[in-house]
Amino acid sequence: MLSLVRHERPARGRRQRAAVLAGLVALLAFSNGAVRADADDDDDDDDTKKILTDPTPAKGWIITLGGSFQVGPKYDGAKSFGPGFMPSLSWRRVGEPAGFSAPDDSFDYAIYDTDRFDVGVVGAYNGGRYSGSTYRLRGMRDVPWAVEAGLYAEYWVLPERLRTRVEVRQGFNGHHGVVADFSADWVERFGSFTFAVGPRLSLGSASYMRTNFGVLPGEAALNGTIPAYKPGASAKSVGLASSLEYAWSPSLSTTLFGRYDRLVGDAGNSPLVDRLGERNQFTFGIGASYSFQVGG
């Protein structure tokens, strides 16, 4: 996924997913040390908590470095799995608490935001599909990586409990279609834990679907096992996502997350999925983030 940076807005601080594996291991190792801290370290944590959550006006910024390691399908509809690494960087004013963000949110920047409603720009990265990744794709053209850019809107139906979100993104390079993602998350906080779960729906334009799920007559002939196929605009997938975050201290947290998607409509009916791939798509991952103050 593409690494971007942005201002982190009040009570909506999104840890934009990702990091190198070494960084993740280091953060997790540090977290184990945090649990075994002695009384002096507890005092330091109290000071850090005051810095990160004090509501009174203050100077300076809170920088959050984060990252995640995940395992998921190599491309949409693939049977085989592959690893992924996603680094991130975000920031917010001292005194502004970091709010909830789902691990599968795309990178975003709010143009307008209130306590319950946000709207802004959003970006995502798609790694593409390459025929050399599996013998099943012999004869198929490569689908290069793509950058997707667009707008998002987010609304908390129940403050700090039920969040809804929509993203609409236009593709560049690998595809030139439009993708729309809809999501809802129920959020529960139990002490240092934050649990979230909710449904997902993804739609694709005709151009997007043809690029990622279509089969040209020449490709069908070269492959020899699948027919030509021309999909149209339709729902791409429905699914469920969940995450569990644990705050080891005000500055350090780790997150486990998972997502299930079922390819439906013209995507699920594509021979690339129905014959060569898999409609049921699973993604699992673990992430960590560390916050520190600069200035002030």
Side-chain angles (χ1 to χ4, degrees):
M1 187 168 273
L2 182 65
S3 174
L4 299 178
V5 296
R6 64 163 179 79
H7 170 58
E8 192 169 339
R9 47 189 195 286
R12 295 289 183 274
R14 291 194 169 77
R15 292 166 306 283
Q16 292 156 337
R17 286 81 42 198
V20 295
L21 179 59
L24 176 59
V25 172
L27 289 175
L28 293 175
F30 183 81
S31 68
N32 291 332
V35 225
R36 299 178 177 81
D38 57 20
D40 291 338
D41 291 335
D42 290 339
D43 292 339
D44 292 340
D45 284 346
D46 290 341
D47 292 340
T48 303
K49 185 174 182 179
K50 291 177 182 178
I51 291 174
L52 297 181
T53 62
D54 187 354
T56 58
K59 295 181 179 179
W61 297 87
I62 301 300
I63 306 298
T64 300
L65 301 176
S68 69
F69 168 77
Q70 69 179 31
V71 175
K74 289 185 176 180
Y75 56 88
D76 283 344
K79 279 188 176 180
S80 54
F81 289 79
F85 306 94
M86 298 180 291
S88 72
L89 168 67
S90 60
W91 63 91
R92 67 183 188 273
R93 290 281 188 182
V94 170
E96 295 176 354
F100 170 78
S101 174
D104 58 346
D105 287 350
S106 297
F107 298 105
D108 60 52
Y109 186 93
I111 297 174
Y112 172 80
D113 65 280
T114 66
D115 289 341
R116 298 177 65 174
F117 177 74
D118 307 333
V119 63
V121 294
V122 68
Y125 174 77
N126 189 319
R129 186 191 72 211
Y130 298 92
S131 59
S133 64
T134 172
Y135 71 92
R136 295 185 180 90
L137 295 177
R138 64 184 180 275
M140 298 297 300
R141 68 191 184 285
D142 288 341
V143 178
W145 58 267
V147 173
E148 299 171 351
L151 300 173
Y152 83 94
E154 181 177 296
Y155 178 67
W156 286 83
V157 179
L158 298 176
E160 302 303 319
R161 280 296 181 90
L162 179 58
R163 185 197 74 155
T164 57
R165 179 181 172 98
V166 59
E167 299 180 9
V168 180
R169 306 183 306 272
Q170 167 71 51
F172 300 92
N173 191 54
H175 77 84
H176 299 279
V178 176
V179 180
D181 290 335
F182 299 83
S183 64
D185 292 278
W186 182 264
V187 183
E188 289 283 354
R189 292 180 172 84
F190 308 93
S192 297
F193 288 95
T194 300
F195 173 75
V197 62
R200 300 293 189 264
L201 169 65
S202 183
L203 312 178
S205 69
S207 175
Y208 172 85
M209 300 293 284
R210 285 196 297 268
T211 299
N212 289 278
F213 300 102
V215 181
L216 298 174
E219 294 173 325
L222 288 172
N223 183 272
T225 63
I226 56 176
Y229 180 71
K230 186 177 181 179
S234 79
K236 185 187 82 169
S237 64
V238 295
L240 186 73
S242 183
S243 63
L244 180 64
E245 177 187 42
Y246 182 75
W248 301 92
S249 72
S251 58
L252 179 66
S253 66
T254 52
T255 304
L256 296 174
F257 59 90
R259 175 167 170 164
Y260 165 74
D261 290 290
R262 172 134 180 118
L263 296 177
V264 296
D266 283 9
N269 292 329
S270 168
L272 290 170
V273 177
D274 189 43
R275 296 193 184 185
L276 305 183
E278 173 59 58
R279 293 191 184 205
N280 299 307
Q281 306 277 279
F282 296 91
T283 302
F284 303 97
I286 184 170
S289 65
Y290 180 72
S291 300
F292 57 92
Q293 181 184 5
V294 295

